[in-house]
Amino acid sequence: QVQLLHSGGGSVQPGGSLKLSCVISGYADGDNCVGWFRQTPGKEAREGVGGIYVDSGDKYDADGVEDRITISQDAYENTVYLQINNLKPEDTGIYYCATAVCTAANGQASATPSHWSRGTRVAVSS
């Protein structure tokens, strides 16, 4: 059974940093990456933040956050991390990790999630 366990959310002042972790117990057939997503207030859909291909370690990130995020993994610990620097109030939301099938076309990565974490809340305010 695939499970994803989250930690690292919380309240941060603008300009601060957070590091989220996602411990993964397994992958569904076809999963080749772990993606990070978030749902921000006022938006109905979760948006992708970035992700990492599990075997190669290649990473991708979404437009608008690429200069503020670092995605990494510890393969031995089956853990993927998302660090966000210079947090802004618009980064407030619920963050999820997900095992996924990732594909790339025209330099853009696309992730189709198969299993989700429960999510962790990030609140950025002064």
Side-chain angles (χ1 to χ4, degrees):
Q1 183 176 4
V2 178
Q3 290 186 325
L4 297 92
L5 300 178
H6 237 157
S7 64
S11 297
V12 187
Q13 292 189 338
S17 298
L18 270 181
K19 188 172 186 178
L20 308 180
S21 66
C22 178
V23 180
I24 302 151
S25 68
Y27 295 86
D29 289 344
D31 286 346
N32 61 349
C33 70
V34 176
W36 287 96
F37 301 81
R38 67 184 180 186
Q39 187 153 16
T40 55
K43 293 187 179 179
E44 292 186 4
R46 296 174 187 176
E47 60 180 358
V49 176
I52 186 167
Y53 287 82
V54 176
D55 288 340
S56 67
D58 290 341
K59 302 162 217 176
Y60 65 92
D61 42 50
D63 292 341
V65 296
E66 64 271 31
D67 58 341
R68 297 191 294 119
I69 71 167
T70 301
I71 295 173
S72 59
Q73 68 172 344
D74 182 333
Y76 182 78
E77 298 291 339
N78 295 318
T79 303
V80 173
Y81 302 95
L82 169 68
Q83 177 156 342
I84 313 172
N85 301 316
N86 190 23
L87 281 157
K88 304 176 181 180
E90 52 264 40
D91 293 318
T92 294
I94 301 175
Y95 284 70
Y96 303 86
C97 59
T99 55
V101 176
C102 285
T103 57
N106 299 321
Q108 296 286 330
S110 175
T112 303
S114 62
H115 291 82
W116 292 92
S117 67
R118 290 190 176 183
T120 188
R121 186 175 299 276
V122 172
V124 185
S125 68
S126 54

